[in-house]
Amino acid sequence: MQSNYSGYIGRFAPSPTGPLHMGSLVAAMASYLDAKAHHGEWLLRIEDLDFDRNVKGAEQSIIDTLQRCQLQWNGAVEWQSRRTSLYEAALQQLGDAVYPCGCSRKEIADSQLNNHASLVAVYPGTCRTGLAAGRQARSWRLKVPAGIGSKIHFNDRWRGQLRQDLESEVGDFVLKRADGFWAYQLAVVVDDAAQGITDVVRGEDLLDSTARQIYLQKILGLQRPRYLHIPVVTNASGEKLSKQTGALAIDVSGPEQNILANALLPAARFLGLTDMALEARTNITSFWQQAILAWQRRLEQHANAATS
Ligand code: GLU
């Protein structure tokens, strides 16, 4: 198992839209355990590009919570808001593959009314050949290829072989938004490459973005990391935990036993790490030692199951 994974660099990349909740702690824990189980590094990157959704003080609260949980990252914290020149350079590199688009969300959604098979609005390519007279550029989109080049195949370490057809399932996608903010898809690809990320471990709500990111890596000439998408934590109504669905901040107040009982053990159980040795931990350092061993065992079992 180790040989393919030398030089592992993983990351946790929260958006500071609120304090850490159970869903984001689970993503942090999975990416941390996977990095440590491979003797790798684990970086922290604050994805604070959406200035409308950023919540004042949320970055510090996330950082404090990670520290209370002893989720210690390597090196300095990166902030996407300080890296916009890199995104601009990538946009320039893409040249004619990028074009200005004058469509509003409503126009794109209205163009799909007869397409019941699609849950997300596939961009119909309206501005691909130029803005119509009188139209203003709102966003900048990337042309996706037609035919075979649009079919992206990738391996998810947990779910196996997956594929998405960019042309029919996504359409030309936005790299710079109508509000002037850099789109997540471009920033994440540029940063993962610039930080030398070898392994992306995150919630499966981002599985649908992975093909777009792989296509961007390809045309920018960047390395493709390995991917592992973990199930997302949902509330009683089956909605993904998030600030929008009213997820509560995790409680990391009080002594270590409280942090174990209120945060770390529930997150570990969600990830299927339920062994008694873990449950019996009374301090956070030994919790992490035990959890890393449990994750390593799990990877071994998974590798054995795949080869048998
Ligand atoms: N910033 C994204 C989020 O908080 C995660 C990005 C990623 O892991 O690729 O949902």
Side-chain angles (χ1 to χ4, degrees), residues 69-92:
C69 291
Q70 296 178 25
L71 273 156
Q72 191 51 60
W73 55 92
N74 295 94
V77 180
E78 280 292 356
W79 305 78
Q80 285 192 321
S81 56
R82 300 178 190 167
R83 301 168 64 81
T84 52
S85 58
L86 296 178
Y87 315 140
E88 183 63 51
L91 194 76
Q92 296 305 324

PDB file of all heavy atoms in Angstrom, residues 69-92:
ATOM      1  N   CYS A  69      -9.382  20.327  18.782  1.00  0.00           N
ATOM      2  CA  CYS A  69      -9.471  18.886  18.465  1.00  0.00           C
ATOM      3  C   CYS A  69      -8.092  18.279  18.196  1.00  0.00           C
ATOM      4  O   CYS A  69      -7.988  17.099  17.863  1.00  0.00           O
ATOM      5  CB  CYS A  69     -10.355  18.661  17.236  1.00  0.00           C
ATOM      6  SG  CYS A  69     -12.086  19.024  17.522  1.00  0.00           S
ATOM      7  N   GLN A  70      -7.048  19.099  18.280  1.00  0.00           N
ATOM      8  CA  GLN A  70      -5.669  18.672  17.996  1.00  0.00           C
ATOM      9  C   GLN A  70      -5.508  18.136  16.579  1.00  0.00           C
ATOM     10  O   GLN A  70      -4.757  17.194  16.325  1.00  0.00           O
ATOM     11  CB  GLN A  70      -5.170  17.674  19.046  1.00  0.00           C
ATOM     12  CG  GLN A  70      -5.097  18.304  20.436  1.00  0.00           C
ATOM     13  CD  GLN A  70      -4.655  17.333  21.512  1.00  0.00           C
ATOM     14  OE1 GLN A  70      -3.970  16.349  21.243  1.00  0.00           O
ATOM     15  NE2 GLN A  70      -5.052  17.607  22.754  1.00  0.00           N
ATOM     16  N   LEU A  71      -6.278  18.732  15.671  1.00  0.00           N
ATOM     17  CA  LEU A  71      -6.113  18.431  14.250  1.00  0.00           C
ATOM     18  C   LEU A  71      -5.055  19.405  13.744  1.00  0.00           C
ATOM     19  O   LEU A  71      -5.365  20.520  13.314  1.00  0.00           O
ATOM     20  CB  LEU A  71      -7.443  18.648  13.523  1.00  0.00           C
ATOM     21  CG  LEU A  71      -8.390  17.457  13.511  1.00  0.00           C
ATOM     22  CD1 LEU A  71      -9.826  17.899  13.313  1.00  0.00           C
ATOM     23  CD2 LEU A  71      -7.992  16.482  12.405  1.00  0.00           C
ATOM     24  N   GLN A  72      -3.800  19.010  13.833  1.00  0.00           N
ATOM     25  CA  GLN A  72      -2.701  19.933  13.550  1.00  0.00           C
ATOM     26  C   GLN A  72      -2.243  19.826  12.105  1.00  0.00           C
ATOM     27  O   GLN A  72      -1.886  18.746  11.649  1.00  0.00           O
ATOM     28  CB  GLN A  72      -1.538  19.660  14.513  1.00  0.00           C
ATOM     29  CG  GLN A  72      -0.472  20.731  14.479  1.00  0.00           C
ATOM     30  CD  GLN A  72      -1.036  22.165  14.630  1.00  0.00           C
ATOM     31  OE1 GLN A  72      -1.665  22.485  15.629  1.00  0.00           O
ATOM     32  NE2 GLN A  72      -0.852  23.017  13.616  1.00  0.00           N
ATOM     33  N   TRP A  73      -2.299  20.944  11.384  1.00  0.00           N
ATOM     34  CA  TRP A  73      -1.890  20.964   9.984  1.00  0.00           C
ATOM     35  C   TRP A  73      -0.396  21.259   9.863  1.00  0.00           C
ATOM     36  O   TRP A  73       0.228  21.746  10.795  1.00  0.00           O
ATOM     37  CB  TRP A  73      -2.698  22.004   9.198  1.00  0.00           C
ATOM     38  CG  TRP A  73      -2.631  23.376   9.800  1.00  0.00           C
ATOM     39  CD1 TRP A  73      -1.751  24.364   9.501  1.00  0.00           C
ATOM     40  CD2 TRP A  73      -3.472  23.888  10.849  1.00  0.00           C
ATOM     41  NE1 TRP A  73      -1.986  25.458  10.287  1.00  0.00           N
ATOM     42  CE2 TRP A  73      -3.040  25.200  11.123  1.00  0.00           C
ATOM     43  CE3 TRP A  73      -4.551  23.369  11.586  1.00  0.00           C
ATOM     44  CZ2 TRP A  73      -3.634  25.995  12.100  1.00  0.00           C
ATOM     45  CZ3 TRP A  73      -5.143  24.163  12.558  1.00  0.00           C
ATOM     46  CH2 TRP A  73      -4.691  25.467  12.803  1.00  0.00           C
ATOM     47  N   ASN A  74       0.158  20.970   8.677  1.00  0.00           N
ATOM     48  CA  ASN A  74       1.579  21.262   8.410  1.00  0.00           C
ATOM     49  C   ASN A  74       1.688  22.641   7.757  1.00  0.00           C
ATOM     50  O   ASN A  74       0.856  22.999   6.933  1.00  0.00           O
ATOM     51  CB  ASN A  74       2.162  20.214   7.456  1.00  0.00           C
ATOM     52  CG  ASN A  74       2.185  18.836   8.084  1.00  0.00           C
ATOM     53  OD1 ASN A  74       1.264  18.044   7.913  1.00  0.00           O
ATOM     54  ND2 ASN A  74       3.218  18.545   8.838  1.00  0.00           N
ATOM     55  N   GLY A  75       2.721  23.361   8.109  1.00  0.00           N
ATOM     56  CA  GLY A  75       2.987  24.660   7.472  1.00  0.00           C
ATOM     57  C   GLY A  75       1.977  25.725   7.845  1.00  0.00           C
ATOM     58  O   GLY A  75       1.204  25.573   8.795  1.00  0.00           O
ATOM     59  N   ALA A  76       1.998  26.807   7.047  1.00  0.00           N
ATOM     60  CA  ALA A  76       1.109  27.943   7.332  1.00  0.00           C
ATOM     61  C   ALA A  76      -0.256  27.713   6.678  1.00  0.00           C
ATOM     62  O   ALA A  76      -0.349  27.009   5.675  1.00  0.00           O
ATOM     63  CB  ALA A  76       1.735  29.210   6.774  1.00  0.00           C
ATOM     64  N   VAL A  77      -1.281  28.332   7.235  1.00  0.00           N
ATOM     65  CA  VAL A  77      -2.618  28.263   6.630  1.00  0.00           C
ATOM     66  C   VAL A  77      -2.583  29.072   5.327  1.00  0.00           C
ATOM     67  O   VAL A  77      -1.975  30.134   5.268  1.00  0.00           O
ATOM     68  CB  VAL A  77      -3.670  28.912   7.578  1.00  0.00           C
ATOM     69  CG1 VAL A  77      -5.067  28.853   6.966  1.00  0.00           C
ATOM     70  CG2 VAL A  77      -3.639  28.265   8.951  1.00  0.00           C
ATOM     71  N   GLU A  78      -3.205  28.537   4.260  1.00  0.00           N
ATOM     72  CA  GLU A  78      -3.336  29.301   3.008  1.00  0.00           C
ATOM     73  C   GLU A  78      -4.728  29.919   2.945  1.00  0.00           C
ATOM     74  O   GLU A  78      -5.691  29.316   3.416  1.00  0.00           O
ATOM     75  CB  GLU A  78      -3.161  28.378   1.790  1.00  0.00           C
ATOM     76  CG  GLU A  78      -1.727  28.060   1.440  1.00  0.00           C
ATOM     77  CD  GLU A  78      -0.939  29.256   0.923  1.00  0.00           C
ATOM     78  OE1 GLU A  78      -1.521  30.357   0.760  1.00  0.00           O
ATOM     79  OE2 GLU A  78       0.273  29.102   0.703  1.00  0.00           O
ATOM     80  N   TRP A  79      -4.817  31.079   2.318  1.00  0.00           N
ATOM     81  CA  TRP A  79      -6.098  31.786   2.161  1.00  0.00           C
ATOM     82  C   TRP A  79      -6.309  32.029   0.681  1.00  0.00           C
ATOM     83  O   TRP A  79      -5.483  32.689   0.044  1.00  0.00           O
ATOM     84  CB  TRP A  79      -6.059  33.135   2.896  1.00  0.00           C
ATOM     85  CG  TRP A  79      -5.703  32.996   4.344  1.00  0.00           C
ATOM     86  CD1 TRP A  79      -4.453  32.803   4.870  1.00  0.00           C
ATOM     87  CD2 TRP A  79      -6.606  32.991   5.458  1.00  0.00           C
ATOM     88  NE1 TRP A  79      -4.532  32.692   6.231  1.00  0.00           N
ATOM     89  CE2 TRP A  79      -5.838  32.814   6.616  1.00  0.00           C
ATOM     90  CE3 TRP A  79      -7.993  33.144   5.568  1.00  0.00           C
ATOM     91  CZ2 TRP A  79      -6.402  32.761   7.885  1.00  0.00           C
ATOM     92  CZ3 TRP A  79      -8.554  33.105   6.831  1.00  0.00           C
ATOM     93  CH2 TRP A  79      -7.769  32.918   7.973  1.00  0.00           C
ATOM     94  N   GLN A  80      -7.410  31.561   0.138  1.00  0.00           N
ATOM     95  CA  GLN A  80      -7.618  31.753  -1.308  1.00  0.00           C
ATOM     96  C   GLN A  80      -7.712  33.235  -1.676  1.00  0.00           C
ATOM     97  O   GLN A  80      -7.302  33.630  -2.754  1.00  0.00           O
ATOM     98  CB  GLN A  80      -8.866  31.007  -1.766  1.00  0.00           C
ATOM     99  CG  GLN A  80      -8.622  29.500  -1.854  1.00  0.00           C
ATOM    100  CD  GLN A  80      -9.720  28.766  -2.577  1.00  0.00           C
ATOM    101  OE1 GLN A  80     -10.899  29.096  -2.421  1.00  0.00           O
ATOM    102  NE2 GLN A  80      -9.354  27.757  -3.347  1.00  0.00           N
ATOM    103  N   SER A  81      -8.236  34.050  -0.776  1.00  0.00           N
ATOM    104  CA  SER A  81      -8.395  35.481  -1.104  1.00  0.00           C
ATOM    105  C   SER A  81      -7.042  36.155  -1.356  1.00  0.00           C
ATOM    106  O   SER A  81      -7.003  37.240  -1.928  1.00  0.00           O
ATOM    107  CB  SER A  81      -9.155  36.192   0.004  1.00  0.00           C
ATOM    108  OG  SER A  81      -8.490  35.984   1.231  1.00  0.00           O
ATOM    109  N   ARG A  82      -5.943  35.517  -0.929  1.00  0.00           N
ATOM    110  CA  ARG A  82      -4.612  36.120  -1.158  1.00  0.00           C
ATOM    111  C   ARG A  82      -3.938  35.542  -2.396  1.00  0.00           C
ATOM    112  O   ARG A  82      -2.769  35.814  -2.652  1.00  0.00           O
ATOM    113  CB  ARG A  82      -3.707  35.851   0.051  1.00  0.00           C
ATOM    114  CG  ARG A  82      -4.294  36.454   1.314  1.00  0.00           C
ATOM    115  CD  ARG A  82      -3.426  36.135   2.519  1.00  0.00           C
ATOM    116  NE  ARG A  82      -4.129  36.512   3.735  1.00  0.00           N
ATOM    117  CZ  ARG A  82      -3.768  36.153   4.960  1.00  0.00           C
ATOM    118  NH1 ARG A  82      -2.693  35.401   5.132  1.00  0.00           N
ATOM    119  NH2 ARG A  82      -4.455  36.536   6.011  1.00  0.00           N
ATOM    120  N   ARG A  83      -4.668  34.710  -3.147  1.00  0.00           N
ATOM    121  CA  ARG A  83      -4.017  33.988  -4.240  1.00  0.00           C
ATOM    122  C   ARG A  83      -4.668  34.295  -5.588  1.00  0.00           C
ATOM    123  O   ARG A  83      -4.477  33.563  -6.551  1.00  0.00           O
ATOM    124  CB  ARG A  83      -4.112  32.483  -3.973  1.00  0.00           C
ATOM    125  CG  ARG A  83      -3.449  32.082  -2.658  1.00  0.00           C
ATOM    126  CD  ARG A  83      -3.792  30.671  -2.248  1.00  0.00           C
ATOM    127  NE  ARG A  83      -3.312  29.675  -3.168  1.00  0.00           N
ATOM    128  CZ  ARG A  83      -2.065  29.206  -3.192  1.00  0.00           C
ATOM    129  NH1 ARG A  83      -1.185  29.646  -2.324  1.00  0.00           N
ATOM    130  NH2 ARG A  83      -1.715  28.296  -4.066  1.00  0.00           N
ATOM    131  N   THR A  84      -5.393  35.417  -5.670  1.00  0.00           N
ATOM    132  CA  THR A  84      -6.194  35.647  -6.882  1.00  0.00           C
ATOM    133  C   THR A  84      -5.325  35.848  -8.133  1.00  0.00           C
ATOM    134  O   THR A  84      -5.788  35.582  -9.242  1.00  0.00           O
ATOM    135  CB  THR A  84      -7.157  36.830  -6.690  1.00  0.00           C
ATOM    136  OG1 THR A  84      -6.398  37.936  -6.229  1.00  0.00           O
ATOM    137  CG2 THR A  84      -8.232  36.519  -5.671  1.00  0.00           C
ATOM    138  N   SER A  85      -4.062  36.286  -7.961  1.00  0.00           N
ATOM    139  CA  SER A  85      -3.232  36.463  -9.161  1.00  0.00           C
ATOM    140  C   SER A  85      -2.967  35.112  -9.840  1.00  0.00           C
ATOM    141  O   SER A  85      -2.813  35.035 -11.068  1.00  0.00           O
ATOM    142  CB  SER A  85      -1.919  37.172  -8.824  1.00  0.00           C
ATOM    143  OG  SER A  85      -1.240  36.418  -7.855  1.00  0.00           O
ATOM    144  N   LEU A  86      -2.961  34.046  -9.047  1.00  0.00           N
ATOM    145  CA  LEU A  86      -2.772  32.711  -9.643  1.00  0.00           C
ATOM    146  C   LEU A  86      -3.984  32.312 -10.492  1.00  0.00           C
ATOM    147  O   LEU A  86      -3.860  31.675 -11.540  1.00  0.00           O
ATOM    148  CB  LEU A  86      -2.584  31.648  -8.544  1.00  0.00           C
ATOM    149  CG  LEU A  86      -1.352  31.765  -7.666  1.00  0.00           C
ATOM    150  CD1 LEU A  86      -1.345  30.668  -6.604  1.00  0.00           C
ATOM    151  CD2 LEU A  86      -0.105  31.627  -8.525  1.00  0.00           C
ATOM    152  N   TYR A  87      -5.175  32.684 -10.023  1.00  0.00           N
ATOM    153  CA  TYR A  87      -6.397  32.317 -10.775  1.00  0.00           C
ATOM    154  C   TYR A  87      -6.459  33.119 -12.074  1.00  0.00           C
ATOM    155  O   TYR A  87      -6.845  32.612 -13.119  1.00  0.00           O
ATOM    156  CB  TYR A  87      -7.659  32.542  -9.922  1.00  0.00           C
ATOM    157  CG  TYR A  87      -7.515  32.013  -8.507  1.00  0.00           C
ATOM    158  CD1 TYR A  87      -8.016  32.706  -7.406  1.00  0.00           C
ATOM    159  CD2 TYR A  87      -6.840  30.813  -8.254  1.00  0.00           C
ATOM    160  CE1 TYR A  87      -7.865  32.229  -6.112  1.00  0.00           C
ATOM    161  CE2 TYR A  87      -6.669  30.338  -6.961  1.00  0.00           C
ATOM    162  CZ  TYR A  87      -7.181  31.054  -5.896  1.00  0.00           C
ATOM    163  OH  TYR A  87      -7.006  30.588  -4.620  1.00  0.00           O
ATOM    164  N   GLU A  88      -6.042  34.395 -11.983  1.00  0.00           N
ATOM    165  CA  GLU A  88      -6.020  35.251 -13.178  1.00  0.00           C
ATOM    166  C   GLU A  88      -5.043  34.656 -14.205  1.00  0.00           C
ATOM    167  O   GLU A  88      -5.358  34.569 -15.393  1.00  0.00           O
ATOM    168  CB  GLU A  88      -5.580  36.668 -12.756  1.00  0.00           C
ATOM    169  CG  GLU A  88      -5.589  37.684 -13.875  1.00  0.00           C
ATOM    170  CD  GLU A  88      -6.975  37.932 -14.446  1.00  0.00           C
ATOM    171  OE1 GLU A  88      -7.911  38.200 -13.664  1.00  0.00           O
ATOM    172  OE2 GLU A  88      -7.114  37.841 -15.689  1.00  0.00           O
ATOM    173  N   ALA A  89      -3.878  34.216 -13.728  1.00  0.00           N
ATOM    174  CA  ALA A  89      -2.874  33.649 -14.647  1.00  0.00           C
ATOM    175  C   ALA A  89      -3.419  32.388 -15.322  1.00  0.00           C
ATOM    176  O   ALA A  89      -3.217  32.173 -16.523  1.00  0.00           O
ATOM    177  CB  ALA A  89      -1.589  33.333 -13.884  1.00  0.00           C
ATOM    178  N   ALA A  90      -4.152  31.575 -14.565  1.00  0.00           N
ATOM    179  CA  ALA A  90      -4.716  30.343 -15.149  1.00  0.00           C
ATOM    180  C   ALA A  90      -5.759  30.698 -16.199  1.00  0.00           C
ATOM    181  O   ALA A  90      -5.812  30.091 -17.280  1.00  0.00           O
ATOM    182  CB  ALA A  90      -5.331  29.470 -14.053  1.00  0.00           C
ATOM    183  N   LEU A  91      -6.573  31.705 -15.909  1.00  0.00           N
ATOM    184  CA  LEU A  91      -7.603  32.126 -16.876  1.00  0.00           C
ATOM    185  C   LEU A  91      -6.934  32.591 -18.177  1.00  0.00           C
ATOM    186  O   LEU A  91      -7.375  32.241 -19.273  1.00  0.00           O
ATOM    187  CB  LEU A  91      -8.451  33.253 -16.272  1.00  0.00           C
ATOM    188  CG  LEU A  91      -9.749  33.550 -17.002  1.00  0.00           C
ATOM    189  CD1 LEU A  91     -10.785  32.476 -16.683  1.00  0.00           C
ATOM    190  CD2 LEU A  91     -10.305  34.917 -16.611  1.00  0.00           C
ATOM    191  N   GLN A  92      -5.849  33.355 -18.033  1.00  0.00           N
ATOM    192  CA  GLN A  92      -5.111  33.833 -19.220  1.00  0.00           C
ATOM    193  C   GLN A  92      -4.543  32.646 -19.993  1.00  0.00           C
ATOM    194  O   GLN A  92      -4.618  32.610 -21.211  1.00  0.00           O
ATOM    195  CB  GLN A  92      -3.956  34.766 -18.811  1.00  0.00           C
ATOM    196  CG  GLN A  92      -4.397  36.059 -18.152  1.00  0.00           C
ATOM    197  CD  GLN A  92      -5.383  36.836 -18.998  1.00  0.00           C
ATOM    198  OE1 GLN A  92      -5.284  36.844 -20.217  1.00  0.00           O
ATOM    199  NE2 GLN A  92      -6.373  37.451 -18.368  1.00  0.00           N
TER     200      GLN A  92
END
